[in-house]
Amino acid sequence: MSDAPLLDVRGLGISFLIGGGSVHATQDVSFSVQPGERVGIVGESGCGKTITGLSLLGLLPRATTHVAGQAMFEGENLVGLPLSRMRHVRGRKISMIFQEPMSALDPVFTIGQQIGETILTHFKVDKKQARERAIEALASVGIPSPARVHDSYPHQLSGGMRQRAMIAIALVCEPKLLIADEPTTALDVTIQAQIIDLLMELSAKQGTALLFITHDLGVIAETCTRMITMYAGQVVEDAPVDSALVRPRHPYTSGLLRSLPRLSARGAVLPSIAGRVPTLRDMPTGCRFAERCAHRQEACAAPQVIEPAGGHLVRCWRHGELVLPGALTDREAAA
Amino acid sequence: MSAAVSDAVLPRQPSFFTRLLGAPGAVIGTVVIVVVLGLAAFAPYLAPYDWNATSQCRRLAPLSAEHWFGCDLFGRDIFSRVIYGARFSLAMGLTTVAISLVFGALLGIVIAYGGGKVDRIGARVIDAMLCFPPIILAILIVAVLGVGLVNAALAVGISGIPRFARITRAATLTLVARDFVESARAVGATHTRIVLRHLLPNLAPILIVIATLDLGSAVLFTATLSFLGLGAQPPTPEWGAMLNAGREYVRYAPWTMIFPGLALFLTVMAVNLVGDRLSLILDPRQRDRS
Amino acid sequence: MSARAILGRLLGVIPTLLITWTFVFGAMRLVPGDPVLLMLQGTPISDSAMEAARAKLGVDRPLVVQYASFLANAAVGDFGDSFRSRQPVTKLIAAEFPKTLELALGGFLVGVVLGTTLGVMAGVRPNGWVDTLCMTTALVGLSLPSFWIGMILIQVFATQLGWVPVLGSGWDALILPSITVGLFLAGGLARLTRNSIIEVMGQDYIRTARAKGLTTVRVVAKHAMRNAMIPPLTLLGIQFALLIGGAVVTETVFARPGIGKLLVQAVLEKDFPVVQGIVVLTTGVYVLINVLIDIAYGIIDPRVQE
Ligand SMILES: Nc1ncnc2c1ncn2[C@@H]1O[C@H](COP(=O)(O)OP(=O)(O)OP(=O)(O)O)[C@@H](O)[C@H]1O
Ligand code: SF4
Ligand SMILES: [Mg+2]
């Protein structure tokens, strides 16, 4: 990791003002993404994956959100970036695609209008050129009759087509970074594979870095080079995928990998580990995973930091002593 | 929302009145309503002059220390007349809403509970009746019944029936489809019992909300008919009728219309402020929204 | 929306109008007193002349026949002669109708512009001071007696300041009446628009629009407003009823000729054919407008087309 990172997030903490008080939804989240790198973020529902993505683009509700820390991107701090500057980042340098392709597209405008709008916002082109580029973009995401889809409304397309259109919108300006927030969760399993392959192909072609938020460890194993595990608003492990699969350093990562039936199986939901995530209001000061951890000791209740360990970054008091199992091998699964 | 968030916001339910008066608008509204009710109740003690005694002062005399709101064409004290007018506005509004509510709810329940053909035909008729703009329907009814205060109130009340019937029907239909009506039927409850014990209590909140939201416009509506000469007749000190009477002399004596109108406006505004707040408290959908 | 679907909607109006007009017919039969005596309004009449008049009005025929001929006549716009002016009701209405239409359109314009503006301003940042201000204004609009505010507008802008004429047929004479009609409409519309905007602003596609780098103004003006317009539009039919109501009152305040003034006059003079004609006509127009709104709805919201 010697080259200058494309995105460098340091100590990102998001808190929401609710009913007079504020709750810390994420704390001390740090990671970086190299140009063209594909990084996966996993973690249980509610651990703060989506809001981390949204905060990078300043898309959280301003009035009720406070974001601490910094996120350097091409020499600019995205945290607290004025809207006038942020607008030129959004859709142009960093794009985001969302989980629900149906609700993410405006129902009363055609697909073409929605792509064209992005082009016209960021480039000096006329309507005709914008149309051509939009159709091109639709073709590049593998839509069979791009000209027809260009003039269709979202409700006239299938879920898979909508997500392709959404990807076309996100990539039409060839951004440096694409944040994909569970882009396949709402789709059929067969379509999921196609969309993932498409994202891989396009990001490779355009040199776009990918921040892949997902529940699907299989997808991360297949597509990403690095994987970030989040738990209860914190990064608990940040490691190269290959190494994490074989020898995870955090008990939570290990638990996730252990309960994965077959690594190659796509669409496997994030496995469940017994116990409950602590609520944002009564977070323990020490290890947040302690309540569910089989390796817990007294000392784990002390406040902790994330530390380097064997090429990983780990937030666990016992990472030095524990030897944790990774994903099951096929042989083990058969047994 | 995660458990964290819902855990955080679960305050103890304060009393109804504390919540009702939880917004400045609602406080102002309540105060105004109390004042109007007070004026209505104690008008004979509060009014400095007889509302109908002519020649108390010069015709169309302007505001003065003796006659705070000036005088009308017949030398009557406008201040006293405005005070007595409080007796009509809210009373008329409440009467009309009560008529719309009772008959509309009855109709809606009967139709929806009857189901099948009864419901289909009933719904059709309600829809057709809703094609009358309310004021046109009210004027038609006044035309049939004849001009006058009571008839105007009746007309406004009747013209509101289709609206209430439609809302009640829709609400009843969803209730009838729910389990508890089924199970009440299964244990052999009579229709009357099901309607009184199971349907009405569940319909009550929404009906109260609609009725309160309607009260302001009902007050305005009846006053409008009086203004058009179709409701209260002179010399009744009804605010709308007073405005109608003052219409010809506005140029020379604007006070003949300013004060009755102001009283009417403040009353309606107060009712609307309280109505809004009440619906916020009683209607869970609204509550989540704001 | 296909021509077929539009035709279907239009035909669907017939049963509705049949019920409404039946109600009007029934109501008119409930008027106490003999129609001929009502028509004569006190003039003495001989028995034979009475018979002739009854025959002419058609009230000597069986009720069913009267009903059928009422519907048949209503369908072609024939409502008999006015008791007072002895002129065909249709002619009287036709003379006044354009005036009312003018006022209704003026009021509609004021109401929609003002109501939408207030509603959007309030809804974009809910619970702030702009919201409170806009919503209080809307509530004032809903609470103002239109006849009162009309008189005050006349007093201030016409009589005192002399900016606009009160009477006359020029467009400037339409300003104050339009504001009077529009204020009430604006109040209700502002509240609807606000709720709608708040709901739409929370939708995913608004987030997408922002994520694309659009300016806030574009996000609101293009994506939010287009979507937020849909629910208030469905209620525009009801709003139109308010418009008619507003016109009736406003015509009286501004002494403008029009259907509303004609109607009130007719009720006061017990001129029943005119009352009947106007009620039948307004319900017809009202129903038609609602169908047109339905059709417009299909154009704004592409999802309705299927
Ligand atoms: N606008 C908001 N106001 C208050 N709390 C919020 C807001 N947005 C998100 N949260 C809270 O922040 C936490 C993290 O939410 P986030 O959506 O990032 O989770 P996630 O990891 O993406 O989960 P999932 O896998 O279900 O998508 C949740 O507890 C959520 O309730
Ligand atoms: S710090 Fe302790 S409790 Fe937390 S994960 Fe490590 S071993 Fe488990
Ligand atoms: Mg999420």
Side-chain angles (χ1 to χ4, degrees):
Chain A
M1 279 188 213
S2 51
D3 353 30
L6 176 69
L7 172 72
D8 189 39
V9 178
R10 288 295 134 219
L12 196 70
I14 301 168
S15 35
F16 294 109
L17 307 170
I18 302 167
S22 79
V23 292
H24 297 279
T26 72
Q27 230 168 22
D28 190 27
V29 169
S30 304
F31 63 90
S32 59
V33 179
Q34 303 298 320
E37 191 186 16
R38 289 195 290 270
V39 178
I41 301 186
V42 279
E44 267 163 319
S45 193
C47 70
K49 304 181 299 290
T50 298
I51 55 172
T52 300
L54 289 174
S55 71
L56 295 177
L57 284 175
L59 289 173
L60 291 167
R62 292 198 167 219
T64 56
T65 316
H66 176 76
V67 184
Q70 64 173 38
M72 297 308 293
F73 177 84
E74 294 194 331
E76 268 183 327
N77 185 0
L78 297 176
V79 175
L81 194 66
L83 202 62
S84 53
R85 306 284 299 279
M86 185 55 100
R87 277 206 303 111
H88 302 292
V89 175
R90 292 178 181 166
R92 176 72 188 89
K93 304 266 180 65
I94 305 180
S95 281
M96 186 156 178
I97 52 180
F98 306 98
Q99 182 173 340
E100 277 290 340
M102 186 66 229
S103 57
L105 289 167
D106 191 329
V108 303
F109 291 96
T110 62
I111 301 293
Q113 284 168 324
Q114 297 185 57
I115 303 185
E117 188 175 55
T118 317
I119 303 170
L120 290 168
T121 304
H122 296 295
F123 297 105
K124 283 201 170 62
V125 293
D126 60 31
K127 287 226 160 125
K128 196 164 159 282
Q129 289 168 306
R131 186 188 160 87
E132 278 162 17
R133 254 181 107 153
I135 293 179
E136 229 170 79
L138 287 170
S140 76
V141 294
I143 286 177
S145 41
R148 190 179 54 77
V149 169
H150 182 277
D151 298 324
S152 303
Y153 289 96
H155 73 276
Q156 295 168 326
L157 305 180
S158 68
M161 281 299 144
R162 280 180 222 138
Q163 197 60 299
R164 282 176 194 267
M166 199 53 222
I167 293 171
I169 293 177
L171 293 181
V172 71
C173 297
E174 309 202 337
K176 297 273 167 55
L177 174 66
L178 176 66
I179 304 170
D181 186 5
E182 304 189 33
T184 59
T185 311
L187 305 177
D188 287 347
V189 180
T190 46
I191 315 274
Q192 287 185 1
Q194 296 172 12
I195 295 289
I196 304 270
D197 291 343
L198 177 68
L199 280 173
M200 295 272 287
E201 178 198 321
L202 289 176
S203 76
K205 201 160 79 188
Q206 298 188 357
T208 302
L210 203 57
L211 193 58
F212 209 127
I213 298 172
T214 179
H215 281 167
D216 192 338
L217 278 166
V219 169
I220 289 197
E222 194 176 321
T223 59
C224 297
T225 47
R226 219 146 50 78
M227 118 175 196
I228 295 167
T229 313
M230 285 185 72
Y231 185 81
Q234 290 178 328
V235 174
V236 292
E237 184 161 6
D238 180 343
V241 168
D242 293 340
S243 149
L245 289 179
V246 182
R247 171 139 160 50
R249 303 276 172 159
H250 194 284
Y252 179 60
T253 315
S254 169
L256 290 181
L257 292 168
R258 283 285 299 172
S259 40
L260 195 65
R262 272 175 87 88
L263 192 53
S264 56
R266 267 173 170 165
V269 212
L270 201 59
S272 54
I273 299 170
R276 211 171 79 106
V277 191
T279 64
L280 298 181
R281 289 257 164 179
D282 47 34
M283 248 347 141
T285 43
C287 175
R288 296 186 171 185
F289 186 59
E291 203 182 311
R292 297 162 75 184
C293 182
H295 309 281
R296 179 183 57 198
Q297 289 180 344
E298 288 283 295
C300 296
Q304 50 174 184
V305 288
I306 192 160
E307 297 172 319
H312 297 198
L313 290 170
V314 190
R315 195 186 291 271
C316 171
W317 281 118
R318 303 188 60 200
H319 65 78
E321 24 176 329
L322 295 174
V323 177
L324 299 163
L328 291 179
T329 63
D330 282 355
R331 186 158 37 82
E332 278 174 310
Chain B
M1 281 279 153
S2 75
V5 175
S6 42
D7 279 355
V9 220
L10 255 187
R12 213 169 46 84
Q13 292 275 303
S15 85
F16 176 75
F17 279 100
T18 323
R19 285 198 295 154
L20 180 63
L21 298 180
V27 175
I28 297 171
T30 310
V31 169
V32 173
I33 290 175
V34 168
V35 168
V36 172
L37 289 177
L39 291 179
F42 303 108
Y45 309 101
L46 296 170
Y49 300 90
D50 182 352
W51 62 268
N52 201 21
T54 52
S55 310
Q56 299 290 310
C57 51
R58 196 163 43 79
R59 286 168 173 246
L60 301 178
L63 321 192
S64 64
E66 290 81 43
H67 302 282
W68 292 356
F69 291 178
C71 292
D72 70 4
L73 185 68
F74 302 102
R76 293 178 297 209
D77 179 49
I78 293 180
F79 182 59
S80 304
R81 288 175 65 75
V82 167
I83 290 180
Y84 272 94
R87 293 192 156 181
F88 299 95
S89 63
L90 278 180
M92 296 269 290
L94 285 169
T95 314
T96 61
V97 172
I99 294 172
S100 312
L101 175 67
V102 170
F103 291 99
L106 210 64
L107 198 63
I109 292 178
V110 167
I111 290 172
Y113 192 73
K117 209 177 224 154
V118 177
D119 184 50
R120 268 204 310 284
I121 296 174
R124 191 86 223 202
V125 171
I126 291 175
D127 276 349
M129 292 308 290
L130 283 166
C131 290
F132 287 101
I135 195 151
I136 298 289
L137 185 53
I139 291 180
L140 177 69
I141 296 167
V142 170
V144 174
L145 298 176
V147 163
L149 184 66
V150 175
N151 289 349
L154 263 177
V156 174
I158 295 173
S159 70
I161 292 178
R163 206 167 51 253
F164 277 88
R166 181 166 72 171
I167 294 162
T168 313
R169 169 179 172 264
T172 310
L173 279 181
T174 57
L175 286 177
V176 168
R178 294 235 295 265
D179 289 347
F180 64 90
V181 174
E182 282 289 302
S183 45
R185 270 196 188 135
V187 299
T190 61
H191 293 317
T192 332
R193 191 183 156 82
I194 292 178
V195 169
L196 290 180
R197 299 295 294 275
H198 298 277
L199 293 183
L200 268 186
N202 282 293
L203 288 172
I206 179 158
L207 288 178
I208 292 172
V209 167
I210 307 290
T212 356
L213 289 177
D214 235 46
L215 184 57
S217 64
V219 170
L220 207 52
F221 203 170
T222 35
T224 302
L225 286 184
S226 292
F227 170 78
L228 292 174
L230 305 176
Q233 298 295 311
T236 315
E238 198 274 344
W239 295 333
M242 287 170 72
L243 272 153
N244 187 20
R247 192 147 55 102
E248 313 287 324
Y249 323 102
V250 173
R251 263 190 110 103
Y252 323 103
W255 49 89
T256 51
M257 66 99 181
I258 287 180
F259 294 106
L262 191 63
L264 181 58
F265 163 60
L266 289 177
T267 307
V268 175
M269 183 86 188
V271 169
N272 282 339
L273 282 169
V274 174
D276 272 6
R277 182 74 193 159
L278 204 62
S279 70
L280 208 67
I281 297 174
L282 290 179
D283 183 355
R285 276 173 309 141
Q286 290 252 351
R287 193 167 41 209
D288 292 344
R289 180 167 292 165
S290 107
Chain C
M1 194 176 282
S2 70
R4 226 190 122 95
I6 292 177
L7 193 71
R9 294 275 163 90
L10 288 174
L11 288 179
V13 160
I14 293 174
T16 310
L17 283 181
L18 213 61
I19 298 174
T20 340
W21 290 350
T22 304
F23 181 84
V24 177
F25 176 82
M28 285 293 127
R29 297 312 109 171
L30 288 178
V31 174
D34 188 302
V36 175
L37 293 180
L38 286 171
M39 179 175 80
L40 293 172
Q41 308 197 312
T43 328
I45 185 175
S46 70
D47 280 359
S48 59
M50 180 89 174
E51 281 312 308
R54 290 183 71 84
K56 184 160 179 292
L57 281 180
V59 288
D60 55 344
R61 295 173 299 170
L63 207 58
V64 190
V65 179
Q66 287 185 42
Y67 175 60
S69 83
F70 161 77
L71 286 182
N73 288 336
V76 296
D78 176 5
F79 304 106
D81 294 347
S82 156
F83 284 171
R84 292 291 299 213
S85 67
R86 301 300 159 96
Q87 291 195 14
V89 170
T90 315
K91 202 175 137 201
L92 290 174
I93 295 179
E96 306 288 330
F97 188 67
K99 284 278 167 198
T100 302
L101 195 66
E102 209 177 82
L103 178 55
L105 285 179
F108 180 75
L109 211 68
V110 173
V112 167
V113 170
L114 194 63
T116 317
T117 311
L118 285 175
V120 170
M121 276 170 32
V124 172
R125 288 217 172 70
N127 302 325
W129 65 269
V130 177
D131 182 19
T132 310
L133 188 71
C134 289
M135 283 304 101
T136 310
T137 312
L139 199 65
V140 168
L142 278 177
S143 308
L144 277 176
S146 51
F147 44 96
W148 184 57
I149 194 66
M151 285 160 92
I152 288 181
L153 288 175
I154 294 176
Q155 189 63 23
V156 174
F157 294 102
T159 312
Q160 304 286 337
L161 297 172
W163 289 356
V164 282
V166 187
L167 297 170
S169 52
W171 66 271
D172 46 359
L174 198 61
I175 296 178
L176 295 185
S178 297
I179 294 176
T180 308
V181 174
L183 272 179
F184 189 71
L185 190 67
L189 208 57
R191 287 156 69 111
L192 289 174
T193 308
R194 172 184 182 266
N195 285 348
S196 192
I197 283 275
I198 291 178
E199 187 154 338
V200 166
M201 287 301 283
Q203 297 292 316
D204 286 356
Y205 52 78
I206 294 297
R207 192 175 60 188
T208 307
R210 295 205 290 142
K212 291 197 289 194
L214 305 192
T215 59
T216 309
V217 172
R218 270 194 88 87
V219 172
V220 172
K222 194 169 168 188
H223 293 275
M225 285 208 20
R226 177 80 172 261
N227 280 283
M229 254 171 77
I230 294 170
L233 189 69
T234 55
L235 290 160
L236 218 57
I238 296 164
Q239 306 289 323
F240 184 75
L242 298 179
L243 221 55
I244 294 179
V248 169
V249 180
T250 308
E251 281 168 5
T252 304
V253 177
F254 285 82
R256 276 176 65 89
I259 300 286
K261 194 124 183 300
L262 192 66
L263 176 62
V264 173
Q265 200 73 33
V267 172
L268 291 173
E269 291 173 346
K270 297 190 189 298
D271 194 346
F272 291 105
V274 175
V275 174
Q276 178 174 298
I278 293 178
V279 174
V280 166
L281 179 86
T282 39
T283 49
V285 171
Y286 183 55
V287 169
L288 204 67
I289 295 250
N290 274 289
V291 173
L292 293 181
I293 287 171
D294 244 24
I295 294 169
Y297 185 73
I299 294 168
I300 288 197
D301 188 346
R303 287 165 296 186
V304 180
Q305 287 168 3
E306 273 92 79

